[in-house]
Amino acid sequence: MQKEIKINTFFGIKRNDANHFVLPFSDNILNHVNTAHAGAQFCLAEVASGKHLEDLFPDLKDKVYAVLRRANVKYNAPGKSQLTAIAAINDSDINDFKKRLIEKTREVITVSVELFDINQKKTFTGNFEWFLQLLKK
Protein backbone atom coordinates (compact mmCIF):
# COMPACT_ATOMS: atom_id res chain seq x y z
CA MET A 1 0.00 0.00 0.00
CA GLN A 2 1.26 3.44 -0.91
CA LYS A 3 1.85 6.00 1.83
CA GLU A 4 -0.53 8.94 1.85
CA ILE A 5 1.25 12.25 1.32
CA LYS A 6 -0.60 14.64 3.61
CA ILE A 7 0.25 17.85 1.77
CA ASN A 8 -1.47 16.41 -1.32
CA THR A 9 -4.58 15.85 0.77
CA PHE A 10 -4.42 19.38 2.18
CA PHE A 11 -4.19 20.92 -1.29
CA GLY A 12 -6.72 18.44 -2.74
CA ILE A 13 -4.32 17.11 -5.40
CA LYS A 14 -5.83 14.11 -7.21
CA ARG A 15 -5.73 12.33 -10.57
CA ASN A 16 -8.46 13.13 -13.07
CA ASP A 17 -10.12 10.81 -15.59
CA ALA A 18 -7.26 11.43 -18.06
CA ASN A 19 -4.79 10.23 -15.38
CA HIS A 20 -3.28 13.71 -14.94
CA PHE A 21 -2.84 15.32 -11.54
CA VAL A 22 -5.07 18.31 -10.81
CA LEU A 23 -5.03 21.03 -8.19
CA PRO A 24 -8.55 22.29 -7.41
CA PHE A 25 -8.97 26.03 -7.08
CA SER A 26 -9.85 26.46 -3.39
CA ASP A 27 -9.12 28.64 -0.38
CA ASN A 28 -6.31 26.23 0.61
CA ILE A 29 -4.17 27.28 -2.37
CA LEU A 30 -4.80 31.02 -2.60
CA ASN A 31 -2.06 33.62 -2.18
CA HIS A 32 -2.38 37.28 -1.18
CA VAL A 33 -3.81 38.27 -4.61
CA ASN A 34 -6.32 35.37 -4.72
CA THR A 35 -4.51 33.31 -7.34
CA ALA A 36 -2.87 29.90 -7.00
CA HIS A 37 0.04 30.17 -4.58
CA ALA A 38 3.47 29.46 -6.08
CA GLY A 39 4.10 26.77 -3.47
CA ALA A 40 0.86 24.95 -4.28
CA GLN A 41 1.70 25.01 -8.00
CA PHE A 42 5.20 23.71 -7.26
CA CYS A 43 3.72 20.93 -5.11
CA LEU A 44 1.38 19.85 -7.91
CA ALA A 45 4.21 19.79 -10.44
CA GLU A 46 6.57 17.90 -8.11
CA VAL A 47 3.91 15.27 -7.39
CA ALA A 48 3.21 14.88 -11.10
CA SER A 49 6.92 14.49 -11.88
CA GLY A 50 7.46 11.79 -9.25
CA LYS A 51 4.34 9.87 -10.18
CA HIS A 52 5.32 10.06 -13.84
CA LEU A 53 8.55 8.26 -12.96
CA GLU A 54 6.62 5.62 -11.01
CA ASP A 55 4.24 5.11 -13.93
CA LEU A 56 7.05 4.80 -16.49
CA PHE A 57 9.16 2.44 -14.40
CA PRO A 58 6.75 0.35 -12.28
CA ASP A 59 9.31 -2.46 -11.99
CA LEU A 60 11.55 -0.13 -9.94
CA LYS A 61 8.94 0.37 -7.21
CA ASP A 62 10.41 -0.54 -3.83
CA LYS A 63 13.79 -1.14 -5.50
CA VAL A 64 15.09 2.43 -5.54
CA TYR A 65 15.57 5.36 -3.22
CA ALA A 66 14.24 8.38 -5.13
CA VAL A 67 14.42 12.03 -4.10
CA LEU A 68 14.04 15.32 -5.87
CA ARG A 69 17.50 16.75 -6.36
CA ARG A 70 16.93 19.98 -8.23
CA ALA A 71 14.14 21.98 -9.81
CA ASN A 72 14.13 24.85 -12.28
CA VAL A 73 10.73 26.48 -12.60
CA LYS A 74 9.05 29.44 -14.22
CA TYR A 75 5.66 30.85 -13.33
CA ASN A 76 4.14 31.86 -16.66
CA ALA A 77 0.76 33.30 -15.63
CA PRO A 78 -1.47 33.59 -12.56
CA GLY A 79 -3.45 30.47 -11.76
CA LYS A 80 -7.09 31.51 -11.54
CA SER A 81 -8.81 28.12 -11.80
CA GLN A 82 -8.20 24.41 -11.34
CA LEU A 83 -4.74 23.48 -12.64
CA THR A 84 -3.75 20.31 -14.48
CA ALA A 85 -0.20 18.95 -14.60
CA ILE A 86 1.24 17.36 -17.74
CA ALA A 87 4.52 15.52 -17.14
CA ALA A 88 6.92 14.18 -19.76
CA ILE A 89 10.42 12.76 -20.17
CA ASN A 90 12.47 12.85 -23.36
CA ASP A 91 12.31 9.49 -25.16
CA SER A 92 16.10 9.28 -25.33
CA ASP A 93 16.32 9.74 -21.55
CA ILE A 94 13.76 6.97 -20.98
CA ASN A 95 15.69 4.54 -23.17
CA ASP A 96 19.05 5.16 -21.48
CA PHE A 97 17.97 5.67 -17.90
CA LYS A 98 17.45 2.09 -16.72
CA LYS A 99 20.63 0.87 -18.38
CA ARG A 100 22.69 3.57 -16.66
CA LEU A 101 20.93 2.97 -13.33
CA ILE A 102 21.76 -0.74 -13.39
CA GLU A 103 25.35 -0.11 -14.46
CA LYS A 104 26.08 2.64 -11.91
CA THR A 105 23.44 1.80 -9.21
CA ARG A 106 22.56 5.52 -9.13
CA GLU A 107 21.33 7.92 -11.75
CA VAL A 108 19.51 11.18 -12.33
CA ILE A 109 16.64 11.81 -14.69
CA THR A 110 14.74 15.00 -15.50
CA VAL A 111 10.97 15.20 -15.75
CA SER A 112 9.44 18.24 -17.46
CA VAL A 113 6.09 19.46 -16.15
CA GLU A 114 3.67 22.07 -17.42
CA LEU A 115 0.58 23.31 -15.59
CA PHE A 116 -2.50 24.50 -17.43
CA ASP A 117 -5.68 26.18 -16.23
CA ILE A 118 -9.17 25.18 -17.37
CA ASN A 119 -8.79 27.40 -20.47
CA GLN A 120 -5.54 25.64 -21.45
CA LYS A 121 -3.47 28.68 -20.50
CA LYS A 122 -0.01 27.65 -19.32
CA THR A 123 0.67 28.90 -15.80
CA PHE A 124 3.90 27.05 -14.96
CA THR A 125 6.80 25.19 -16.55
CA GLY A 126 9.42 23.24 -14.68
CA ASN A 127 12.18 20.68 -14.93
CA PHE A 128 12.50 18.33 -11.97
CA GLU A 129 15.74 16.40 -11.62
CA TRP A 130 15.32 13.18 -9.64
CA PHE A 131 18.14 11.22 -8.04
CA LEU A 132 17.56 7.47 -7.88
CA GLN A 133 19.73 4.86 -6.23
CA LEU A 134 19.18 1.12 -6.30
CA LEU A 135 18.52 -0.28 -2.85
CA LYS A 136 20.85 -2.99 -1.64
CA LYS A 137 19.28 -6.43 -1.69
Side-chain angles (χ1 to χ4, degrees):
M1 181 173 213
Q2 193 163 4
K3 180 181 176 185
E4 175 189 2
I5 309 296
K6 293 188 181 197
I7 196 166
N8 296 348
T9 303
F10 176 77
F11 286 136
I13 296 172
K14 294 185 178 167
R15 284 196 186 208
N16 64 12
D17 293 339
N19 211 29
H20 297 296
F21 281 92
V22 296
L23 176 67
F25 195 71
S26 71
D27 288 344
N28 285 349
I29 69 153
L30 295 181
N31 62 17
H32 64 289
V33 292
N34 290 322
T35 62
H37 192 282
Q41 291 185 65
F42 184 93
C43 186
L44 171 63
E46 188 269 347
V47 166
S49 71
K51 288 297 189 179
H52 191 64
L53 281 177
E54 283 185 359
D55 292 348
L56 280 176
F57 304 108
D59 56 316
L60 293 179
K61 186 169 175 54
D62 299 324
K63 295 179 184 173
V64 295
Y65 172 77
V67 291
L68 184 65
R69 182 178 193 190
R70 180 178 299 139
N72 182 5
V73 304
K74 178 180 179 185
Y75 296 90
N76 304 91
K80 297 179 180 179
S81 66
Q82 174 176 286
L83 300 176
T84 301
I86 308 296
I89 299 176
N90 291 332
D91 288 340
S92 61
D93 291 342
I94 293 171
N95 296 331
D96 296 337
F97 168 73
K98 279 183 75 173
K99 179 182 172 194
R100 292 189 317 262
L101 177 65
I102 291 167
E103 288 173 358
K104 299 186 327 184
T105 72
R106 56 179 53 198
E107 189 55 62
V108 295
I109 189 166
T110 299
V111 182
S112 299
V113 180
E114 295 179 324
L115 303 185
F116 297 91
D117 68 13
I118 60 172
N119 296 313
Q120 299 305 310
K121 183 174 184 176
K122 188 186 308 180
T123 66
F124 174 104
T125 54
N127 290 308
F128 294 81
E129 182 182 271
W130 286 86
F131 169 82
L132 289 91
Q133 181 172 357
L134 288 175
L135 298 173
K136 296 186 193 285
K137 296 180 183 182

